[in-house]
Amino acid sequence: MSRRAMVLMSGRVVDPAQGIDEIRDVLLAEGEVVRTGVDLEVPEGALVIDCAGKVVTPGLIDPHVHLREPGQEHKETIASGARAAAAGGFTAVVAMPNTDPVIDSPALVGFVAAAGKRAGAARVYPTGAISLGLEGKRLAPVGEMIEAGAVAITDDGHPVMDSGLMRLALEYARGFGIPVADHPEDLGLSAGGHMNEGLVSTRLGIRGKPNASEDVHIVRDLLVAEFTGGHIHLQHVSTAFGVEMIRQAKARGVRVTAEASPHHLLLTDAAVEGYRTEAKMNPPLRSEADRAAVEAGMLDGTLDIIATDHAPHHYDEKERAFDDAPNGIVGIETSVGLVLTHFVHEGKLSLSGMVERMSLNPARAFGLPGGTLAEGSPADVTVLDPEMRWTVNAADFLSLSRNTPFGGWELRGRAAATVVGGEVVFQRDD
Amino acid sequence: MSPESLYLGKDLVGLEALTGEQIRAILDTAEPFKEISERAIKKVPVLRGKTIVNLFFEPSTRTRISFEFAEKRLSADTVNISSSGSSVVKGETLVDTARNLEAMRIDMVVIRHGASGAARFLAERIPSNVINAGDGRHEHPTQGLLDMLTIRDHRGRIEGLKVCIVGDVLHSRVARSNIYGLLKLGAEVAVCGPRTLLPVGIEELGVQVFSQVEEAIEWADVLNILRLQLERMEGGYVPSLREYNRIYGVSSARLDRAPRDILVLHPGPMNRGVEIDSDVADGPHSVILNQVTNGVAVRMAVLYLLAGGAPDTAEAAKQGGQG
């Protein structure tokens, strides 16, 4: 925490929690937001950052990243992931527990939290597994993991097939006020699949995962959340039917939050054409109708959070026949540029709407500090240069991995600086 | 010289990417090569000095030997590499194998691999010509070509014929290559089999779907009967081989009710008494052994064309050196 005060001068401050969207100065001190206002007096000795022409937002939060540590440090480490997140404009990320070993004990949750602090970049919030070893059998020590810093429980990557266990998880987590995050997938229906089931998979001769494999579990999760009163957080929703079921559940008052990922918002299974392993992830890229439904759901707030599912893999692991390559793409350094270019600049989403989906809503869903620049909030701030033009070049990523389907995309808008706890943890030179 | 449009490119990965004109040119080029296999001395110097690796990651007898004969009869130097293992091991091996082949300056690689896309994967990484001898469930282009050559031999044309592919289309690379090739040459194509073995969206490729083999037989001029792998029963796609034979098996009793003289193809190896009864396999409708013979000629044509030969000089090339 910085003792030195900081003023972010003359930026367009966008803070939907307070209904602010105007040119203001932001004064940070003692690790907190002191105030925002017009022509603030600069305290003596304060660091002044000129934000004219920039957008100043509450720190962006990505509630779905894989940092691979412990166990797969050749793909990413907590430190490299936290630095990549900061470069992508994120002041905080929520790390998934499917590491090796699995994060299913308070000691391991503590390890992730401590390594995140040491990184001195974006904040790293750990999650704990729902089940011991992600085996889908017995609940992990949820309460102790929360005491150690876990902000949610999830078996991401290993869907909870036992609906009875999902019931227990939702009931138990409810008592602690944390969400249960689920990767909705019926493993029986998706068995052996490597991409979306459809014409493209038929032509390529790749076994598909039907939409129904996701839909069945979305509906199951919504029903179980409804009768338990628990908070279900549905990860990376990719199907039109799934979006509609969530929309209806929200109307009934079910406690559900849900993610849209940039790749499901922008790509379809056509991107797999040519057996491109950088377009292989789970859930898979689906049809144009699904993509359009995910976009509509994100825009109308049904999918209230944009999350990347940042999933680094070493290039060797993706340099394989399609069936043999692992699922997942990196996303943390392209998310802001993609959302600004394809939704904000296209006039589909306001800046305020973007900040809701990338800061305020994730903070609320996971009970995290931040999400606003209200007085007394943590001094976590993202400064965006909404006009900066750049071309995605994976070689420039701070992430240890390069597996992106967005290489060569020309984008408009990027993070200019990232402030965490009143310290500048990232600032772009150019 | 032949027009530019007939140039196949560096590789033969599948028939989906070819034009009807290119496919016709391959079949036409195969014609003069048929005669070489009928000679006492079955060797011409068309590919003398070329090195070809037959890289088989899956067991294969027919296809590997057919390629090898085609290569040897064209005087190429050949090396066979066979390997099998878990899919993970295969995936890791493939990229390193590609680099090693590149380092040895191989002219051509014939690859068979269990993963769809493997041939293309290799083709994108080495300068040698790559010929797909079957990749997962994707394509088996030389099988598609030899099937079409056999149909053309017996019916004089492809255009306007009704061809039904019967059986496990879901897992079949032969089916996909046949569908693409036949449609491009103007045939009508249908598939028939249990719905568990027909892939989603197959109609969108432009094929009809029959659920009953009797309907298919009534409709078709040609049946191409696919092998039912025993694993499909273990995987639960069909309840039993006996039931499969009863409901989808092509028997002479069923063929006898066909309204026209039907041609029966099978890419082999056959499961007699499962997808095809012996009296059909050995009967008057069957052209299964003609397929095998044509396989060598078609593969010679593909090797010749990828090595830079032109379709209209194949006859001359046979006599002495490159066309």
Side-chain angles (χ1 to χ4, degrees), chain B residues 83-109:
Chain B
S83 104
S84 52
S86 75
S87 63
V88 173
V89 172
K90 276 189 282 186
E92 284 169 352
T93 311
L94 195 53
V95 67
D96 282 335
T97 307
R99 288 178 188 146
N100 279 283
L101 292 174
E102 187 185 349
M104 286 186 277
R105 308 293 184 260
I106 303 298
D107 294 301
M108 292 188 175
V109 179

Short mmCIF file of all heavy atoms in Angstrom, two decimals, chain B residues 83-109:
data_model
loop_
_atom_site.label_atom_id
_atom_site.label_comp_id
_atom_site.label_asym_id
_atom_site.label_seq_id
_atom_site.Cartn_x
_atom_site.Cartn_y
_atom_site.Cartn_z
N SER B 83 4.19 -47.16 -36.81
CA SER B 83 4.23 -46.99 -35.37
C SER B 83 2.83 -46.91 -34.87
O SER B 83 1.91 -46.52 -35.57
CB SER B 83 5.03 -45.75 -35.01
OG SER B 83 4.19 -44.70 -34.64
N SER B 84 2.64 -47.30 -33.66
CA SER B 84 1.33 -47.12 -33.05
C SER B 84 1.56 -46.85 -31.58
O SER B 84 2.63 -47.09 -31.05
CB SER B 84 0.46 -48.36 -33.25
OG SER B 84 1.16 -49.50 -32.83
N GLY B 85 0.56 -46.32 -30.96
CA GLY B 85 0.71 -46.00 -29.55
C GLY B 85 -0.48 -45.19 -29.11
O GLY B 85 -1.45 -45.06 -29.84
N SER B 86 -0.39 -44.62 -27.93
CA SER B 86 -1.50 -43.83 -27.44
C SER B 86 -1.60 -42.56 -28.27
O SER B 86 -0.65 -42.14 -28.92
CB SER B 86 -1.28 -43.46 -25.98
OG SER B 86 -0.31 -42.44 -25.89
N SER B 87 -2.77 -41.93 -28.25
CA SER B 87 -2.97 -40.74 -29.07
C SER B 87 -2.04 -39.62 -28.63
O SER B 87 -1.58 -38.84 -29.44
CB SER B 87 -4.42 -40.29 -28.99
OG SER B 87 -4.74 -39.90 -27.67
N VAL B 88 -1.76 -39.56 -27.35
CA VAL B 88 -0.87 -38.50 -26.86
C VAL B 88 0.53 -38.70 -27.44
O VAL B 88 1.15 -37.78 -27.96
CB VAL B 88 -0.83 -38.49 -25.32
CG1 VAL B 88 0.21 -37.50 -24.82
CG2 VAL B 88 -2.20 -38.16 -24.76
N VAL B 89 0.99 -39.92 -27.37
CA VAL B 89 2.32 -40.21 -27.91
C VAL B 89 2.35 -39.88 -29.40
O VAL B 89 3.28 -39.28 -29.91
CB VAL B 89 2.68 -41.69 -27.67
CG1 VAL B 89 3.97 -42.05 -28.40
CG2 VAL B 89 2.83 -41.95 -26.18
N LYS B 90 1.28 -40.25 -30.10
CA LYS B 90 1.22 -39.98 -31.53
C LYS B 90 1.30 -38.49 -31.81
O LYS B 90 2.02 -38.05 -32.67
CB LYS B 90 -0.09 -40.54 -32.12
CG LYS B 90 -0.01 -41.99 -32.46
CD LYS B 90 -1.23 -42.43 -33.23
CE LYS B 90 -2.39 -42.63 -32.28
NZ LYS B 90 -3.57 -43.19 -32.97
N GLY B 91 0.53 -37.71 -31.02
CA GLY B 91 0.52 -36.28 -31.25
C GLY B 91 1.90 -35.68 -31.05
O GLY B 91 2.36 -34.86 -31.83
N GLU B 92 2.59 -36.14 -30.02
CA GLU B 92 3.92 -35.60 -29.76
C GLU B 92 4.90 -36.03 -30.84
O GLU B 92 5.76 -35.28 -31.23
CB GLU B 92 4.40 -36.09 -28.39
CG GLU B 92 3.74 -35.36 -27.25
CD GLU B 92 4.01 -36.01 -25.92
OE1 GLU B 92 4.59 -37.11 -25.90
OE2 GLU B 92 3.62 -35.42 -24.91
N THR B 93 4.73 -37.24 -31.31
CA THR B 93 5.66 -37.75 -32.30
C THR B 93 5.52 -37.01 -33.62
O THR B 93 6.49 -36.80 -34.32
CB THR B 93 5.40 -39.25 -32.55
OG1 THR B 93 5.32 -39.88 -31.29
CG2 THR B 93 6.50 -39.88 -33.34
N LEU B 94 4.32 -36.64 -33.94
CA LEU B 94 4.05 -36.12 -35.28
C LEU B 94 4.89 -34.90 -35.63
O LEU B 94 5.48 -34.83 -36.70
CB LEU B 94 2.55 -35.81 -35.39
CG LEU B 94 2.00 -35.60 -36.79
CD1 LEU B 94 2.35 -36.75 -37.70
CD2 LEU B 94 0.50 -35.40 -36.71
N VAL B 95 4.95 -33.94 -34.72
CA VAL B 95 5.68 -32.72 -35.05
C VAL B 95 7.18 -33.01 -35.16
O VAL B 95 7.87 -32.50 -36.04
CB VAL B 95 5.37 -31.58 -34.05
CG1 VAL B 95 5.89 -31.88 -32.68
CG2 VAL B 95 5.91 -30.26 -34.56
N ASP B 96 7.66 -33.88 -34.29
CA ASP B 96 9.08 -34.22 -34.37
C ASP B 96 9.38 -35.08 -35.59
O ASP B 96 10.41 -34.91 -36.24
CB ASP B 96 9.52 -34.95 -33.10
CG ASP B 96 9.71 -33.99 -31.94
OD1 ASP B 96 9.98 -32.80 -32.23
OD2 ASP B 96 9.61 -34.40 -30.79
N THR B 97 8.46 -35.98 -35.91
CA THR B 97 8.63 -36.77 -37.13
C THR B 97 8.71 -35.86 -38.35
O THR B 97 9.56 -36.04 -39.22
CB THR B 97 7.45 -37.74 -37.29
OG1 THR B 97 7.30 -38.48 -36.09
CG2 THR B 97 7.69 -38.70 -38.44
N ALA B 98 7.85 -34.88 -38.38
CA ALA B 98 7.84 -33.94 -39.51
C ALA B 98 9.20 -33.27 -39.65
O ALA B 98 9.75 -33.18 -40.74
CB ALA B 98 6.74 -32.90 -39.30
N ARG B 99 9.73 -32.82 -38.53
CA ARG B 99 11.02 -32.11 -38.58
C ARG B 99 12.14 -33.04 -39.03
O ARG B 99 13.04 -32.64 -39.78
CB ARG B 99 11.35 -31.54 -37.20
CG ARG B 99 10.47 -30.36 -36.86
CD ARG B 99 10.76 -29.83 -35.48
NE ARG B 99 9.77 -28.83 -35.14
CZ ARG B 99 9.31 -28.63 -33.91
NH1 ARG B 99 9.77 -29.35 -32.91
NH2 ARG B 99 8.42 -27.71 -33.68
N ASN B 100 12.09 -34.29 -38.56
CA ASN B 100 13.12 -35.24 -38.96
C ASN B 100 13.05 -35.56 -40.45
O ASN B 100 14.08 -35.67 -41.11
CB ASN B 100 12.99 -36.52 -38.13
CG ASN B 100 13.64 -36.35 -36.77
OD1 ASN B 100 14.85 -36.40 -36.66
ND2 ASN B 100 12.84 -36.11 -35.75
N LEU B 101 11.84 -35.71 -40.95
CA LEU B 101 11.68 -36.00 -42.38
C LEU B 101 12.21 -34.83 -43.21
O LEU B 101 12.90 -35.01 -44.20
CB LEU B 101 10.21 -36.25 -42.71
CG LEU B 101 9.63 -37.53 -42.12
CD1 LEU B 101 8.14 -37.59 -42.38
CD2 LEU B 101 10.32 -38.75 -42.70
N GLU B 102 11.87 -33.64 -42.75
CA GLU B 102 12.33 -32.45 -43.45
C GLU B 102 13.86 -32.44 -43.51
O GLU B 102 14.47 -32.15 -44.53
CB GLU B 102 11.81 -31.21 -42.73
CG GLU B 102 12.09 -29.93 -43.47
CD GLU B 102 11.65 -28.72 -42.66
OE1 GLU B 102 10.95 -28.90 -41.65
OE2 GLU B 102 12.02 -27.61 -43.05
N ALA B 103 14.47 -32.81 -42.37
CA ALA B 103 15.93 -32.81 -42.29
C ALA B 103 16.55 -33.85 -43.23
O ALA B 103 17.70 -33.70 -43.66
CB ALA B 103 16.37 -33.07 -40.85
N MET B 104 15.79 -34.90 -43.55
CA MET B 104 16.34 -35.94 -44.43
C MET B 104 16.02 -35.69 -45.90
O MET B 104 16.36 -36.51 -46.75
CB MET B 104 15.83 -37.32 -43.99
CG MET B 104 16.51 -37.80 -42.72
SD MET B 104 16.06 -39.48 -42.31
CE MET B 104 14.51 -39.22 -41.47
N ARG B 105 15.38 -34.57 -46.20
CA ARG B 105 15.13 -34.17 -47.58
C ARG B 105 14.34 -35.25 -48.34
O ARG B 105 14.75 -35.71 -49.39
CB ARG B 105 16.43 -33.88 -48.33
CG ARG B 105 17.35 -32.89 -47.63
CD ARG B 105 16.75 -31.48 -47.58
NE ARG B 105 17.69 -30.54 -46.99
CZ ARG B 105 17.63 -30.12 -45.72
NH1 ARG B 105 16.68 -30.57 -44.92
NH2 ARG B 105 18.50 -29.25 -45.27
N ILE B 106 13.23 -35.63 -47.76
CA ILE B 106 12.35 -36.61 -48.39
C ILE B 106 11.53 -35.90 -49.46
O ILE B 106 11.13 -34.76 -49.29
CB ILE B 106 11.40 -37.21 -47.32
CG1 ILE B 106 12.19 -37.84 -46.19
CG2 ILE B 106 10.43 -38.18 -47.94
CD1 ILE B 106 13.05 -38.99 -46.59
N ASP B 107 11.26 -36.56 -50.58
CA ASP B 107 10.46 -35.92 -51.63
C ASP B 107 8.96 -35.98 -51.35
O ASP B 107 8.24 -35.03 -51.58
CB ASP B 107 10.75 -36.58 -52.99
CG ASP B 107 12.17 -36.33 -53.44
OD1 ASP B 107 12.54 -35.15 -53.57
OD2 ASP B 107 12.92 -37.30 -53.60
N MET B 108 8.54 -37.14 -50.85
CA MET B 108 7.10 -37.32 -50.63
C MET B 108 6.87 -38.13 -49.37
O MET B 108 7.66 -39.01 -49.04
CB MET B 108 6.45 -38.10 -51.78
CG MET B 108 6.41 -37.38 -53.10
SD MET B 108 5.40 -38.36 -54.24
CE MET B 108 5.38 -37.26 -55.63
N VAL B 109 5.75 -37.83 -48.71
CA VAL B 109 5.35 -38.60 -47.54
C VAL B 109 3.91 -39.05 -47.72
O VAL B 109 3.03 -38.25 -48.06
CB VAL B 109 5.46 -37.75 -46.25
CG1 VAL B 109 5.02 -38.58 -45.05
CG2 VAL B 109 6.87 -37.24 -46.05
#
